[in-house]
Amino acid sequence: MLKVGFIGWRGMVGSVLLQRMREESDFDGLESHFFSTSNAGGAPPPEAHHKTLLDAHDIETLKRFDVLVSCQGGDYTKRVFAPLRRDGWSGYWIDAASTLRMEKDAVLLLDPVNRPVIEAGLRDGVKSYIGSNCTVSCMLMGLAGLFQHDMVEWMTTMTYQAASGAGAAKMLELVKQMGRLAGKADATPGASTDALLAEQLVTAEQRHPDFPVAEIGAPLAGSLLAWIDSEVPGGQTREEWKGEAETNKIMGTKRTIPVDGICVRIGTMRCHSQGVCVKLRRDVPLDDIEGILRASNPWVRVIPNTKEATLKCLTPAAVSGTLNVPVGRVHKLRMGPEYLGAFTVGDQLLWGAAEPLRRFLGMLRDRS
Ligand code: HSE
């Protein structure tokens, strides 16, 4: 039986991973052990084979595992991965963090769209399998059909990214910000019937020195932030840089397909959305495009380009907590018949984080 160690299972991505594994009875057929970076000896979840938490910094213990699954974050990966490999550990390392993504002996996980790339990795003896950037994963779950049919000359991506992508503390601060804004308007006579008064109160509250911004760094509720992650040369942010780097690595493209745009944080909880402009390599009728998108994987939902369907199905409110990836607003842009517009929404914690890891662990279990 495959002996699997879980690290970082209590955090947000780890919790969603465990929840999904329970829903799918994935623990059957695995010998599961749980690690902690701070509470070794404490109580593990009920699925644990070993009835106490193991020490996540103990390389000798980690080395005894066939598979290690880390949702602990990049700093932990930096600290233990190299020593483990240096010590000769040749097990499978499955990681949600970005640290190892661009290593040449690492494969990016998004099996509904890149299963051949993953299977080639397994055949070639690759042992590091890394979850991809959440925005790129959610976008490709919706649009991979276009890449699989070699239809994309280039693509722009304008993102609308949820607070969850920045971490649990940011989500909680966003809710606090929302509460402060609504509370101020609720408590002021006349603000429920006077929109300009409500706006003045909201804006003043956002600018108030006591407004809670310790985590996010700026008001996000009732606002947006056009910067995600650190700066890289050339004017992009690292999040924007990942668009091209990871899309091409996930899909295993032969030539680099240019992908670029502006990544924006908005005040949603856990769904990332993208408005894209695709320059097609040839003019393809819309019906054919929709058929290609629909056939790409069982979770993609092509939403009719109508107001009613868009408002009902193509929103974070409709998608949160589900595996559906709606793609809508699909239409040819005014620039010409080779320019396609579309909009995608995906759950950042599911397809953007936990689900590809869970599914790859299942692939390993089925092979063992
Ligand atoms: N970097 C992403 C974000 C999350 O900030 O939304 C994980 O890929």
Side-chain angles (χ1 to χ4, degrees), residues 90-110:
S90 61
Y92 289 98
W93 177 265
I94 305 177
D95 200 338
S98 63
T99 317
L100 302 172
R101 276 187 202 146
M102 300 317 286
E103 297 293 319
K104 69 174 182 353
D105 56 355
V107 166
L108 297 188
L109 295 173
L110 194 62

Side-chain angles (χ1 to χ4, degrees), residues 101 132-135 161-162 165-166 228 239 242 265 272 348 352:
R101 276 187 202 146
S132 315
N133 172 262
C134 46
T135 326
Q161 297 185 218
I228 296 177
E239 189 75 358
K242 288 174 181 173
R265 184 81 64 206
H272 281 4
Q348 187 269 330

Side-chain angles (χ1 to χ4, degrees), residues 147 282 350:
F147 290 87
R282 52 193 180 278
L350 289 168

Side-chain angles (χ1 to χ4, degrees), residues 199-220:
E199 178 278 319
Q200 278 168 17
L201 292 167
V202 163
T203 303
E205 196 63 8
Q206 287 173 325
R207 293 174 182 165
H208 194 283
D210 288 345
F211 195 64
V213 295
E215 286 295 335
I216 300 170
L220 181 58

Side-chain angles (χ1 to χ4, degrees), residues 67-81:
V67 184
L68 292 170
V69 182
S70 175
C71 301
Q72 182 69 31
D75 290 344
Y76 176 76
T77 302
K78 280 184 200 134
R79 182 160 167 183
V80 306
F81 180 78

Side-chain angles (χ1 to χ4, degrees), residues 2 14 48 53 58 64 101 145 160 224 237 269 298 341 350 361:
L2 209 59
L53 291 172
D58 180 353
R64 289 192 222 119
R101 276 187 202 146
Y160 306 78
L224 58 80
T237 64
M269 291 302 279
L350 289 168
L361 186 54

Side-chain angles (χ1 to χ4, degrees), residues 87-343:
D87 264 18
W89 179 68
S90 61
Y92 289 98
W93 177 265
I94 305 177
D95 200 338
S98 63
T99 317
L100 302 172
R101 276 187 202 146
M102 300 317 286
E103 297 293 319
K104 69 174 182 353
D105 56 355
V107 166
L108 297 188
L109 295 173
L110 194 62
D111 71 282
V113 309
N114 77 342
R115 198 168 173 115
V117 175
I118 295 171
E119 282 174 350
L122 288 168
R123 271 197 310 278
D124 295 346
V126 174
K127 292 296 179 75
S128 301
Y129 291 83
I130 316 299
S132 315
N133 172 262
C134 46
T135 326
V136 174
S137 299
C138 291
M139 178 276 288
L140 279 179
M141 283 299 294
L143 299 176
L146 302 179
F147 290 87
Q148 285 154 345
H149 286 76
D150 195 18
M151 291 164 67
V152 183
E153 187 174 320
W154 53 253
M155 181 168 80
T156 67
T157 55
M158 301 298 173
T159 76
Y160 306 78
Q161 297 185 218
S164 59
K170 272 73 172 174
M171 294 169 80
L172 294 174
E173 186 166 86
L174 171 62
V175 175
K176 211 189 265 179
Q177 291 186 356
M178 290 169 172
R180 278 279 291 261
L181 299 183
K184 195 73 189 172
D186 283 349
T188 306
S192 63
T193 51
D194 183 341
L196 285 179
L197 173 60
E199 178 278 319
Q200 278 168 17
L201 292 167
V202 163
T203 303
E205 196 63 8
Q206 287 173 325
R207 293 174 182 165
H208 194 283
D210 288 345
F211 195 64
V213 295
E215 286 295 335
I216 300 170
L220 181 58
S223 189
L224 58 80
L225 305 170
W227 190 284
I228 296 177
D229 208 339
S230 53
E231 185 175 0
V232 299
Q236 286 178 308
T237 64
R238 184 159 299 282
E239 189 75 358
E240 290 153 5
W241 174 86
K242 288 174 181 173
E244 178 175 303
E246 295 196 24
T247 298
N248 282 280
K249 183 160 180 173
I250 291 169
M251 299 309 296
T253 53
K254 300 247 173 331
R255 67 187 167 91
T256 299
I257 297 172
V259 178
D260 205 353
I262 308 285
C263 289
V264 179
R265 184 81 64 206
I266 60 161
T268 51
M269 291 302 279
R270 61 180 278 182
C271 273
H272 281 4
S273 307
Q274 298 207 321
V276 302
C277 165
V278 182
K279 170 69 167 55
L280 299 169
R281 280 159 68 81
R282 52 193 180 278
D283 177 11
V284 179
L286 265 186
D287 282 352
D288 294 1
I289 290 173
E290 292 191 357
I292 285 167
L293 294 174
R294 205 175 278 120
S296 164
N297 66 70
W299 296 275
V300 70
R301 303 275 179 273
V302 176
I303 306 302
N305 188 20
T306 64
K307 179 176 179 181
E308 190 188 3
T310 300
L311 299 194
K312 186 170 172 208
C313 308
L314 193 63
T315 66
V319 174
S320 276
T322 79
L323 289 165
N324 292 341
V325 181
V327 182
R329 302 304 329 279
V330 180
H331 65 290
K332 296 291 182 77
L333 298 173
R334 295 275 303 137
M335 294 83 176
E338 292 163 0
Y339 293 83
L340 181 74
F343 194 88

